[in-house]
Amino acid sequence: MDPRIDLRSDTVTRPSAAMRRAMAEAEVGDDVIDIDPTTELLQHRVAEFLGKEAAIFMPSGSMTNQIAIRVHCTPGDEFLCEADCHVYNYEQAAFAQLSGLVARTIQGVHGRLKREQFAGMVRPAGDHLVRTRLVCLENTHNRGGGTVQPYEEVEAICKWARSNNLATHLDGARLWNAAVASGISERQWSQHFDTISVCFSKGLGAPVGSVLAGPADFIKRCRRARKLFGGGMRQCGIIAAAALYALDHNRERLVEDHAHAQLLGGAVRQAPGLTLDPGEVETNIVVFKVHPNLGTAAEFVAALEREGVRGMVFGPQTIRMVTHLDVDRDAIQAACDAIERVAGRLADQAEKADQNVAV
Ligand SMILES: *Cc1c(COP(=O)(O)O)cnc(C)c1O
């Protein structure tokens, strides 16, 4: 067994024996020539689950997001998004590189946006101006610290978008977590958006894959774009089977990940020199700051790693930890102990260094 407790991301989960069995037994076809039956099943299931007409399976969440954006817009268009969102920060500006689009960002608070921030954000028609075409939101918000968007604001923003002839897309890579944490179903969140992207390779524990859901004619155009982006897959029933398994077995258990994240958050609160940021843990992501007296985030992560716990450097003084189905209660307890131990040791060292200077 790997002795390390890997909290870098919820993408590190490995398929269970039962999931691997489902994959091995999957019926497959050729999804590029015509159809793959297991992929077809997944697409139907997800479309129904999210309350949309159709859905399409792709290799990654970056692809589902970028293809949605591309098909919603035409070259030279602009879309509105939160300044720290994944689409803007972590996808190499594919919207610019591959689709000739620009983004206009709006700064949220821990990723949360309010309807009033969109006032005046649609440019008037005119030969000089870029055309505003789309609003993208993210829920839960990764960089924001796994925060759930305020439901009423999402509703109001999407309503505002529609009344301004803007399309709406939701990056719901962790929509599952938002649903479990808020008690508002994935379908309820989705009803406000034209298109929704969901990931199976995060908390749901599948090895790969994302699905984009939306109107049937839109999804048909996405299928063509997917081929252009190199995302056409042949016997993809093998991985669609893992996504189906994940949907059936790993969704409701996300409450455990959230409870584990609360424990980690508690340990961070206890530890000297560490500050939760945001101050409350809402889902499976825990983001905290390391006081410079203790060193940098990279140094703290390295010290934790020597104790068998892995986290991710999220900024010069910022660390992210994500709970998931491969980390059980005992491992979380061990991680909490390691956090308090490392912070305590570094704080002691800082204090001693301080006393030496004073002498
Ligand atoms: C992980 C993630 C994605 C998609 O990432 P891929 O690695 O391309 O699957 C998109 N949005 C958010 C918020 C994510 O966390």
Side-chain angles (χ1 to χ4, degrees):
M1 204 191 84
D2 189 340
R4 290 172 307 187
I5 300 166
D6 196 344
L7 298 169
R8 287 173 302 167
S9 174
D10 45 6
T11 57
V12 302
T13 52
R14 279 156 294 190
S16 63
M19 182 181 279
R20 284 168 188 263
R21 255 192 319 277
M23 296 172 76
E25 288 163 9
E27 200 188 327
V28 295
D30 187 321
D31 200 53
V32 177
I33 294 181
D34 44 35
I35 65 158
D36 172 280
T38 305
T39 303
E40 198 74 357
L41 186 62
L42 173 67
Q43 293 172 166
H44 276 128
R45 279 282 308 278
V46 176
E48 195 182 87
F49 187 75
L50 297 178
K52 296 295 169 194
E53 277 176 4
I56 182 167
F57 189 45
M58 298 193 199
S60 72
S62 296
M63 191 180 281
T64 45
N65 280 334
Q66 293 299 331
I67 285 180
I69 292 169
R70 182 189 182 91
V71 176
H72 279 303
C73 302
T74 50
D77 284 352
E78 168 186 78
F79 66 95
L80 306 175
C81 63
E82 202 280 324
D84 294 321
C85 74
H86 198 280
V87 158
Y88 183 71
N89 292 278
Y90 297 122
E91 298 177 12
Q92 290 190 25
F95 53 85
Q97 294 207 56
L98 305 178
S99 302
L101 304 170
V102 291
R104 190 178 190 189
T105 59
I106 305 173
Q107 185 66 58
V109 178
H110 296 304
R112 293 193 199 90
L113 288 175
K114 293 193 151 130
R115 151 70 186 88
E116 64 199 33
Q117 293 179 273
F118 285 81
M121 294 302 276
V122 180
R123 298 179 200 267
D127 285 350
H128 295 283
L129 300 169
V130 63
R131 188 173 72 137
T132 315
R133 185 69 201 105
L134 167 74
V135 172
C136 279
L137 297 182
E138 183 174 317
N139 198 21
T140 64
H141 198 289
N142 171 34
R143 185 85 214 172
T147 47
V148 180
Q149 294 289 342
Y151 186 77
E152 286 73 25
E153 296 294 339
V154 167
E155 197 174 16
I157 291 165
C158 291
K159 206 169 147 200
W160 169 86
R162 197 154 302 119
S163 66
N164 283 284
N165 286 320
L166 305 186
T168 50
H169 172 71
L170 176 64
D171 176 355
R174 295 189 182 84
L175 183 59
W176 326 105
N177 299 85
V180 162
S182 65
I184 297 166
S185 70
E186 289 87 343
R187 196 187 174 103
Q188 266 174 288
W189 286 106
S190 298
Q191 67 179 329
H192 303 294
F193 294 88
D194 295 314
T195 56
I196 303 102
S197 158
V198 287
C199 287
F200 292 90
S201 58
K202 304 256 162 96
L204 290 198
V208 64
S210 290
V211 168
L212 176 66
D217 57 340
F218 186 94
I219 297 300
K220 199 170 168 200
R221 292 167 63 205
C222 291
R223 183 174 163 94
R224 183 168 168 80
R226 184 183 65 177
K227 191 74 177 72
L228 174 68
F229 279 52
M233 299 182 287
R234 306 286 179 174
Q235 284 75 49
C236 48
I238 294 283
I239 49 176
L244 278 166
Y245 181 93
L247 195 57
D248 287 336
H249 297 93
N250 293 344
R251 196 177 136 271
E252 280 165 17
R253 62 152 303 287
L254 291 173
V255 287
E256 288 171 40
D257 295 347
H258 295 183
H260 290 164
Q262 290 295 335
L263 294 177
L264 283 178
V268 169
R269 280 199 193 92
Q270 295 286 320
L274 303 183
T275 315
L276 276 181
D277 184 29
E280 301 296 326
V281 174
E282 292 188 21
T283 56
N284 69 330
I285 299 180
V286 181
V287 177
F288 59 94
K289 290 220 145 56
V290 181
H291 192 282
N293 282 352
L294 270 57
T296 63
E299 285 163 350
F300 196 90
V301 162
L304 266 181
E305 189 146 350
R306 288 193 288 275
E307 308 267 335
V309 177
R310 306 188 83 181
M312 189 181 268
V313 175
F314 221 38
Q317 297 301 137
T318 311
I319 294 171
R320 184 189 79 167
M321 288 185 168
V322 190
T323 58
H324 54 78
L325 85 172
D326 281 359
V327 180
D328 62 15
R329 177 65 60 117
D330 288 348
I332 289 293
Q333 199 48 60
C336 288
D337 294 346
I339 289 168
E340 293 187 44
R341 202 161 55 238
V342 167
R345 195 168 65 227
L346 292 172
D348 280 351
Q349 283 169 11
E351 202 174 319
K352 281 195 191 110
D354 217 32
Q355 281 164 2
N356 286 343
V357 171
V359 172

